[in-house]
Amino acid sequence: MFIADDPKNSGLIPAAKPTKIPGMDGTVSTLFGYGLWILLLAGVVAAGVGVWKLAMSDKSRHGGGSEPFKWMGSGVAAVLLAGSLISILNGIAG
């Protein structure tokens, strides 16, 4: 099983095939669709960096304790934003 199979046989991650938005055809629609998938992947990476920073941070009293949570929070926010926009646009276009 591959992580991203073809759209007919969905794997763990759906294929990044953007749906055309009604009233916005051409290159702009394609770039917007791929931009949402890149935002989703960037959110996952930011959450992963936050987990890594939390694992590697100084656990003493004098360590900067809030930075990993900023990374994780921004990553989760980006994933939620991109995921909701992708589902809304697929609902409109589908």
Side-chain angles (χ1 to χ4, degrees):
M1 173 181 216
F2 296 104
I3 291 179
D5 280 344
D6 59 330
K8 296 175 192 136
N9 186 11
S10 62
L12 295 176
I13 300 173
K17 185 77 174 159
T19 309
K20 292 222 181 262
I21 301 164
M24 185 175 14
D25 292 332
T27 309
V28 175
S29 176
T30 305
L31 288 177
F32 188 71
Y34 282 121
L36 288 175
W37 284 103
I38 290 171
L39 178 64
L40 182 73
L41 291 176
V44 170
V45 168
V49 167
V51 169
W52 179 77
K53 282 182 171 276
L54 184 64
M56 296 297 170
S57 68
D58 183 16
K59 303 290 190 300
S60 69
R61 286 181 181 234
H62 304 294
S66 66
E67 186 183 4
F69 297 106
K70 291 177 188 175
W71 278 89
M72 286 188 282
S74 65
V76 168
V79 166
L80 290 175
L81 175 70
S84 64
L85 285 175
I86 287 171
S87 18
I88 288 169
L89 289 176
N90 284 339
I92 291 172

